[in-house]
Amino acid sequence: MSKIGLVLGGGGVTGAAYQIATLLALEAATGWNPDDADVVVGTSGGAVVTAMVRSHRLSIDAVVGEADGMHDYAARLRSLLYRRAWPRKLGSWARHGLLRGIRHPGVSFTLGGPAPFRVDGIVEWIEGAYQGDDGWPQRPTLIVAYDLKAGHLVAFGTEEAPEASIADAVAASCAVPLVYQPHLINGRMYLDGGVASGTSADLVLGSPVPLDLVLVVAPMALPEARDNRRFYEPLLDRAGRAALDEELERITALWPHCETLVLTPSAAEIGDMRANPMSPEQAIPSFFHTLRSLRSGLATPEVWEVLERHLLSRAA
């Protein structure tokens, strides 16, 4: 029986919708339950989907809930995701963002910067999924966030990471700079793990035994630029793909017999997802376009042969 690692990368609200649809399509096509993965790694929007997988809440109902139509759903999701925050002092931004950005120009400028929203609603959402359980999923589960003061990634769920509830870890992983204020856990501030890597796929190497397949669902790591792209897309995709390629090389170097399969959105799906990845209004269109597209996407020989070798045998 194949041992599977599942990596769910960042991609905002629409990226999470894409991942949910992808996992549901995989389960329908192969009978494999994503919660059967031997390890799951989640970053940013992928951290939310990871929590859904491990709480057995991965379903269409998890996407639409009890909402009466798309507008009602978008309003409900917006009420959870976009809760206004009190202005914070700028000291942490000056120390951890501006100064670091001067030394190393790039995304560092944004770290700890002023942001209009807080992640309390995400904590509430995940706590509801876990019905008040403040513990950690029993099966290996890693949630990736960025420690603002230390300046490096933290994989909650590992022995080296500070203790945190699954809800707090997911909220920290979702704290996109300039959108959300950093999330405080045990006196330390954390941001979206995607500021350093959108996937952190090589964290699966912490598995005590080699895996047979690492399945990566990466909304922000397209291998090629698409037509009619927005100005920021090539930057996001190049950075996301470069980090992911390095991570996959490390996996292959240490586990030469482990196969890797990366699923990214098709051109048809990207149109809904990239207008505004943080848009609740685009979540349901992204979800259903992904389901429709994957009817043929999963059937391509290079994808289906891998799924047949590992997921079908696992489901059986």
Side-chain angles (χ1 to χ4, degrees):
M1 181 181 295
S2 293
K3 294 189 176 298
I4 312 296
L6 176 62
V7 178
L8 301 173
V13 178
T14 59
Y18 163 77
Q19 290 175 333
I20 294 168
T22 298
L23 294 178
L24 290 176
L26 283 169
E27 186 169 10
T30 67
W32 175 73
N33 182 349
D35 189 37
D36 287 339
D38 294 272
V39 58
V40 184
V41 179
T43 302
S44 196
V48 174
V49 182
T50 295
M52 294 170 65
V53 167
R54 289 308 201 203
S55 64
H56 315 292
R57 293 285 296 273
L58 189 71
S59 66
I60 292 180
D61 286 342
V63 179
V64 300
E66 298 179 358
D68 185 15
M70 287 180 56
H71 293 295
D72 186 27
Y73 168 77
R76 171 179 166 272
L77 189 55
R78 186 171 290 279
S79 72
L80 290 169
L81 295 180
Y82 296 115
R83 295 185 176 179
R84 285 286 172 182
W86 290 102
R88 298 175 68 101
K89 296 179 180 179
L90 299 182
S92 64
W93 184 31
R95 291 191 302 274
H96 307 304
L98 288 177
L99 292 179
R100 192 175 293 164
I102 291 170
R103 300 188 191 102
H104 307 285
V107 74
S108 299
F109 273 113
T110 68
L111 303 183
F117 303 109
R118 63 187 195 273
V119 293
D120 304 36
I122 298 174
V123 174
E124 180 183 309
W125 187 8
I126 302 302
E127 285 179 341
Y130 279 79
Q131 299 179 340
D133 183 0
D134 289 333
W136 199 262
Q138 292 186 348
R139 308 200 70 179
T141 305
L142 308 182
I143 302 296
V144 186
Y146 184 87
D147 185 320
L148 185 57
K149 184 176 181 179
H152 60 65
L153 291 176
V154 172
F156 289 103
T158 62
E159 292 182 358
E160 297 80 10
E163 287 191 12
S165 70
I166 185 70
D168 275 321
V170 169
S173 186
C174 291
V176 179
L178 302 184
V179 177
Y180 293 108
Q181 292 183 349
H183 187 52
L184 192 66
I185 301 176
N186 298 326
R188 298 187 73 86
M189 292 188 295
Y190 296 92
L191 286 168
D192 184 343
V195 303
S197 169
T199 45
S200 294
D202 52 349
L203 286 174
V204 300
L205 292 169
S207 170
V209 295
L211 302 176
D212 299 299
L213 171 66
V214 175
L215 173 62
V216 183
V217 188
M220 290 288 190
L222 268 65
E224 299 177 356
R226 70 183 186 97
D227 295 334
N228 301 319
R229 60 188 179 273
R230 290 161 180 82
F231 72 93
Y232 55 82
E233 291 185 46
L235 175 63
L236 292 176
D237 285 320
R238 278 199 301 270
R241 193 71 202 197
L244 176 57
D245 286 345
E246 290 180 4
E247 293 156 9
L248 296 180
E249 287 176 6
R250 285 193 283 273
I251 293 170
T252 301
L254 289 176
W255 293 341
H257 300 295
C258 176
E259 290 194 83
T260 58
L261 176 63
V262 179
L263 299 180
T264 58
S266 68
E269 296 150 6
I270 283 293
D272 287 320
M273 295 172 59
R274 291 290 177 86
N276 179 2
M278 299 301 292
S279 170
E281 287 76 12
Q282 290 302 115
I284 290 182
S286 297
F287 175 80
F288 284 110
H289 284 176
T290 300
L291 284 179
R292 185 161 55 244
S293 176
L294 284 177
R295 286 185 301 180
S296 57
L298 295 182
T300 59
E302 62 271 20
V303 172
W304 184 250
E305 288 174 4
V306 175
L307 300 180
E308 190 173 31
R309 275 194 295 274
H310 298 287
L311 301 193
L312 284 176
S313 62
R314 180 84 180 237

